[in-house]
Amino acid sequence: MLGQTVDPKDAAERLANAVAPVDAVEPIGDELADVIVALVQEVSQHPDADRLTVCRVDTGNGIVDVVCGAPNVTAGKKYPYASVGSVLPGDFKIKKLKIRGVESNGMLCSESEVDLGSEGGGLMELSVDSSPGTSLPEALKLRDTRLAIDVNPDRPDVLCHKGIARELGASLGINPRLCQIPGAPDDTKQPVRTGSTGEIAGVTVTIEDTEGCPRYMAAAVRGVEIGPSPVWLKSRMHSIGSRSINNVVDATNYILFELNQPLHAFDLDTLGGAVVIRNAQDGETLTTLDGELRELNAGMTMICDASKPIAVGGVMGDVGSEVTNSTTNILLECAYFEPKGIRATRTALKLTTDASYRFERGTDLQGMPDALRRAVSLIIAVAGGEEAEAPIDLYPNPIGHANVFLRPARVEHLLGVEIPIQEIEDYLTSVGFAVAPKDDRLAVQVPGWRPDVTREVDLIEEVARLRGYNSFPTEMRPFRPGTVPNDGIEILKARVRTALTANGLHEVRSVSFSRTPGPDAQPILNPLSADEAFLRTDLMTGLARSVEYNWSVRERNVRLFEIGTVFRRVGKDVRPAEQFHVAGVVTGARKATHWSNSSADNDYDLWDLKFLLEETVAVCGVGNIGENESGWAVTGEDGGRLGWAMEVVCDRPEWVARVFGFEVELTLGESTVRKFRTLPNTPPVERDLALVIPDGVDVAETETVMQEAAGPFLESVVIFDEYRTEGIGGRSVAWHLIFRAPGKTLRDRDADHAVKRIVETLEKKLDVRLRQA
């Protein structure tokens, strides 16, 4: 199907990166490596058996006698031959035998014995130019490679060879094309639309179930001759792991695997002049091609003749209308069946076929005319006959191609990189999308074989996979799902939430009502109850109730925080003032109880509370913490109170611990939250530096001078040793230095120059010297 040879392993890698993983790369033909082409020179009657013959067979390596029971063995013709010791498919080993007194050296083979067809009553005649002794896989061009592809349910287009070729063509930058059919006619009649009812070859076709079968096409071919498929078609069936049945069935299977369009051939003379596509009736029965009698139910889409069902639409046909060796005229069905209906039918009947597998995932509604035209050409090429008249196309409610608009700016926004509009267009057109620029957007027409593409984001995913996921940068970049920036207070709330959660507190959310009156409490005009008659003026009251509830269920260790709105009464008929607060409360063990610690030593105390308060204030970046008689107070630059922290008075039983809490007004300030920095992607250069520091010079001062003298490439300074002894004029301290240059590989000489500057500067400023070994 492609205009150039593709390495199987390369093809597997390209498919795995772009569309679907490849489970296996399997060589084909090796299982027939022991079978060769042989020429039968003479055929004589077996002396002691009427139905056996003795054949003189030219194997290319000598003449041997073979006893044969096939009725079609003929002198002068070539057949597959397996010598003594050969192994046929199915692990069948050939042995030297005496049959009715005559020694048989090997075996002449039928189609079924070499796994190239279902015919087992006669030998497989070979119409090849290969000389005796030629390997059968070589003579029939059976050697190939099969890719076992794990196709996702949303990509029915790659359930066929054309779909795979389309994806490989896009990756390789070539245009795939269908191969020529040997012996196909130059052209076939074009289909004609006829509405909801049509007639072809004396058969009236009607669609009653337009929901289950929106489109139905049919072609008639008269004068066919049912028989074995030609060698090229058998070999292609073998290459995909399918056994040859007969020329017409093989032709329909070929189109199924080539174009993902299931087809069904009926014996035209058994239809009784009518084909009706309708819903089944409860209690109807049908014997499918597998020989099973199946009971139907309402809702199943059936293909019926004038009196009875002849096929379960999209699943399997009936034995009474199948193509047999006596068939001379066929009606070829090409239809689209609604996926949900096929799935329900297949489940109810417990019957899965190649056709149902494809129909329930969605076939190409728009590509049916091309598939039917190619199928008719293939049938005429392999089975003879001629097209009776133009095919009919019943399509009562035509459905056009889906159209989706794509914004290049949206592509850049979601993928994080700018992709030129021409590059986007090239990616999409390479896999069959029709693209037309329109203002600042692209109008994209979705091909019929891609039912999974319905939204702009689906097209962006196409661009990403066709460009290659490995082509996108790996570092984390700024990203927003929308264009409206977050409010600053929401960012602050998220940071506080992260900090308190990291310190083991659990967030709670409580109602904004309170039972506590007061001068600042805003009464509710229509309260739900007396306990909820006011809007809350703080968060701590609700947290204290939560602590008491935990005690009531024998839970001693409680760590809670809440971020929410508090209210303050301003005046009559005036909305209350609102302010965001954060409050936290802790009691009990700060970490899990262990035998090595007593419970008293493990409980939260005031210093734990101060730490939580400092963490919260640091995240906000506003406020100064000062000590007072009951704990700590948080004040603003103007001296106004922003928060507090103290022991909380609760009605607590004796077995619980003290309760500590804080509450702070959330006010935007300069946050001290640590910023994200990516891991370095260049190698470091490491040096150890041992220095003698004189008395009166401290380590911190020495490190400050180091950083200033080293330059921009000094990444970290870590002390790993200290040595004191008399006679060195101070103390010896050793540092481990790491140098790194962002964006490039630092050279050793650059680090050596930096170390030299450090030593010279320290000696000049602080009289710190390099320790001599």
Side-chain angles (χ1 to χ4, degrees):
M1 187 172 286
L2 292 172
Q4 69 182 58
T5 302
V6 181
D7 178 72
K9 292 184 178 179
D10 179 52
E13 183 175 353
R14 291 177 183 273
L15 291 173
N17 289 333
V19 62
V22 177
D23 293 338
V25 179
E26 306 167 347
I28 302 172
D30 291 348
E31 70 278 9
L32 296 177
D34 292 342
V35 184
I36 62 172
V37 175
L39 173 65
V40 175
Q41 293 184 335
E42 297 178 13
V43 178
S44 59
Q45 183 65 43
H46 191 288
D48 292 325
D50 293 339
R51 295 185 179 182
L52 298 179
T53 58
V54 179
C55 305
R56 298 283 290 171
V57 178
D58 181 359
T59 66
N61 193 30
I63 307 298
V64 297
D65 289 335
V66 177
V67 177
C68 180
N72 65 329
V73 63
T74 305
K77 291 190 175 183
K78 297 174 183 176
Y79 305 96
Y81 169 74
S83 62
V84 175
S86 300
V87 180
L88 296 179
D91 201 27
F92 180 66
K93 189 172 183 179
I94 304 300
K95 300 177 181 178
K96 181 183 289 189
L97 299 173
K98 269 193 174 183
I99 304 176
R100 294 287 185 92
V102 178
E103 189 175 80
S104 181
N105 299 279
M107 185 174 75
L108 297 172
C109 304
S110 66
E111 289 182 352
S112 62
E113 288 163 339
V114 292
D115 204 24
L116 291 176
S118 58
E119 180 60 47
L123 298 182
M124 180 180 181
E125 295 185 7
L126 300 176
S127 300
V128 294
D129 295 332
S130 304
S131 59
T134 304
S135 168
L136 185 66
E138 180 182 342
L140 298 184
K141 297 182 174 55
L142 296 177
R143 294 199 182 277
D144 205 339
T145 303
R146 180 190 299 127
L147 303 182
I149 303 173
D150 187 5
V151 180
N152 292 331
D154 63 338
R155 289 302 304 272
D157 58 301
V158 289
L159 286 171
C160 65
H161 296 134
K162 186 177 182 180
I164 296 296
R166 185 186 300 116
E167 292 293 332
L168 287 176
S171 177
L172 295 166
I174 59 178
N175 185 28
R177 61 183 182 274
L178 295 176
C179 63
Q180 295 294 321
I181 298 174
D186 294 336
D187 57 9
T188 57
K189 296 182 176 65
Q190 298 296 321
V192 179
R193 296 181 182 275
T194 60
S196 59
T197 301
E199 184 175 334
I200 181 169
V203 177
T204 301
V205 183
T206 306
I207 301 179
E208 295 181 0
D209 181 14
T210 56
E211 182 178 348
C213 179
R215 189 175 192 181
Y216 190 91
M217 299 184 67
V221 181
R222 292 187 179 275
V224 298
E225 183 177 347
I226 307 299
S229 295
V231 171
W232 70 266
L233 184 53
K234 288 180 181 179
S235 65
R236 294 192 184 182
M237 289 292 100
H238 177 264
S239 68
I240 59 174
S242 179
R243 177 173 287 192
S244 174
I245 305 299
N246 61 51
N247 45 14
V248 171
V249 174
D250 289 353
T252 59
N253 286 337
Y254 182 92
I255 299 300
L256 179 142
F257 286 104
E258 182 184 64
L259 301 178
N260 200 41
Q261 177 60 59
L263 304 165
H264 190 73
F266 296 102
D267 188 324
L268 179 64
D269 299 325
T270 66
L271 298 179
V275 169
V276 181
I277 300 93
R278 62 168 173 84
N279 283 325
Q281 300 174 4
D282 287 331
E284 281 188 302
T285 59
L286 174 144
T287 302
T288 48
L289 292 174
D290 58 359
E292 292 288 331
L293 179 64
R294 302 183 184 275
E295 184 173 341
L296 312 176
N297 58 58
M300 296 181 179
T301 299
M302 307 304 299
I303 313 300
C304 307
D305 62 13
S307 60
K308 63 184 184 305
I310 57 174
V312 182
V315 181
M316 186 178 283
D318 176 75
V319 293
S321 62
E322 69 175 324
V323 171
T324 64
N325 290 338
S326 61
T327 298
T328 56
N329 304 311
I330 63 171
L331 181 76
L332 184 63
E333 169 192 283
C334 178
Y336 178 90
F337 295 100
E338 196 273 327
K340 290 183 180 178
I342 295 299
R343 189 175 302 115
T345 300
R346 184 262 301 169
T347 303
L349 297 179
K350 298 180 181 179
L351 178 62
T352 298
T353 62
D354 286 332
S356 69
Y357 186 83
R358 286 158 173 78
F359 278 129
E360 68 177 274
R361 284 159 176 77
T363 55
D364 185 0
L365 182 62
Q366 312 296 337
M368 290 170 54
D370 292 337
L372 182 63
R373 190 175 304 118
R374 186 165 173 85
V376 170
S377 296
L378 179 55
I379 288 174
I380 294 175
V382 299
E386 61 179 2
E387 198 171 5
E389 54 187 275
I392 59 172
D393 184 359
L394 308 187
Y395 200 5
N397 304 301
I399 302 172
H401 288 276
N403 293 283
V404 181
F405 284 102
L406 177 63
R407 297 164 291 173
R410 186 63 175 167
V411 176
E412 178 183 356
H413 181 71
L414 288 186
L415 299 185
V417 297
E418 181 181 3
I419 302 178
I421 189 169
Q422 184 59 51
E423 189 176 339
I424 295 174
E425 185 174 347
D426 291 342
Y427 288 139
L428 294 177
T429 55
S430 69
V431 288
F433 292 87
V435 182
K438 189 172 184 179
D439 300 328
D440 58 344
R441 302 181 297 174
L442 293 174
V444 181
Q445 185 181 84
V446 181
W449 59 79
R450 290 301 303 274
D452 59 302
V453 177
T454 58
R455 304 169 298 167
E456 182 183 42
V457 70
D458 297 329
L459 293 174
I460 296 174
E461 183 181 5
E462 287 295 294
V463 173
R465 74 175 186 84
L466 293 169
R467 189 176 192 266
Y469 296 118
N470 292 335
S471 67
F472 293 94
T474 57
E475 70 269 15
M476 184 177 292
R477 296 186 173 194
F479 168 78
R480 286 193 55 80
T483 58
V484 180
N486 282 340
D487 185 83
I489 195 66
E490 294 299 325
I491 296 174
L492 177 60
K493 287 160 67 175
R495 289 173 175 170
V496 171
R497 183 176 291 113
T498 300
L500 293 177
T501 303
N503 283 288
L505 276 69
H506 303 283
E507 185 175 8
V508 298
R509 293 184 181 180
S510 56
V511 296
S512 300
F513 305 131
S514 171
R515 73 178 73 174
T516 308
D520 292 336
Q522 174 67 50
I524 299 173
L525 296 179
N526 187 22
L528 297 176
S529 69
D531 289 340
E532 298 177 340
F534 300 90
L535 292 177
R536 64 186 178 187
T537 57
D538 62 63
L539 301 179
M540 184 53 63
T541 301
L543 287 179
R545 287 204 300 266
S546 296
V547 170
E548 292 171 353
Y549 174 78
N550 277 270
W551 287 343
S552 71
V553 293
R554 305 293 297 179
E555 180 57 55
R556 181 179 184 272
N557 307 320
V558 184
R559 303 180 298 277
L560 304 175
F561 77 93
E562 181 173 5
I563 299 173
T565 307
V566 299
F567 304 86
R568 181 174 56 84
R569 184 178 184 183
V570 177
K572 186 177 182 181
D573 298 329
V574 180
R575 287 179 177 273
E578 300 182 26
Q579 178 64 49
F580 287 111
H581 279 204
V582 56
V585 61
V586 293
T587 181
R590 67 171 66 89
K591 58 185 178 180
T593 304
H594 191 262
W595 60 267
S596 61
N597 295 323
S598 66
S599 59
D601 294 337
N602 193 29
D603 285 344
Y604 281 103
D605 56 27
L606 280 169
W607 303 111
D608 295 310
L609 175 63
K610 185 180 181 184
F611 169 77
L612 293 174
L613 179 66
E614 289 174 343
E615 283 277 289
T616 305
V617 172
V619 171
C620 295
V622 173
N624 301 307
I625 300 176
E627 190 172 355
N628 57 30
E629 65 279 0
S630 58
W632 293 273
V634 182
T635 57
E637 296 295 332
D638 58 357
R641 186 186 185 199
L642 297 179
W644 54 267
M646 66 179 71
E647 183 175 352
V648 179
V649 177
C650 294
D651 184 13
R652 60 189 179 93
E654 295 183 358
W655 54 272
V656 300
R658 299 163 67 191
V659 183
F660 302 97
F662 70 90
E663 185 161 345
V664 177
E665 180 181 315
L666 286 183
T667 304
L668 291 174
E670 184 177 351
S671 173
T672 58
V673 174
R674 297 178 180 87
K675 301 296 181 65
F676 171 80
R677 185 177 66 184
T678 60
L679 291 173
N681 54 13
T682 56
V685 177
E686 302 180 20
R687 293 289 186 270
D688 289 340
L689 187 61
L691 301 173
V692 177
I693 302 178
D695 297 334
V697 178
D698 59 31
V699 171
E701 186 179 6
T702 304
E703 287 189 359
T704 300
V705 175
M706 275 188 193
Q707 295 280 3
E708 294 173 352
F713 298 148
L714 182 59
E715 182 179 274
S716 69
V717 180
V718 179
I719 296 176
F720 69 88
D721 186 43
E722 181 184 23
Y723 174 67
R724 294 175 182 268
T725 187
E726 296 181 0
I728 64 172
R731 54 179 173 153
S732 173
V733 180
W735 279 269
H736 182 67
L737 311 181
I738 298 179
F739 298 88
R740 195 191 309 267
K744 69 175 184 178
T745 300
L746 194 66
R747 295 172 296 185
D748 284 340
R749 65 169 180 250
D750 296 327
D752 293 339
H753 290 328
V755 171
K756 183 178 180 181
R757 287 196 305 271
I758 291 172
V759 173
E760 291 175 350
T761 304
L762 287 171
E763 186 172 359
K764 181 179 179 180
K765 289 187 175 183
L766 303 176
D767 196 26
V768 174
R769 306 182 314 278
L770 187 67
R771 190 181 82 187
Q772 303 299 322

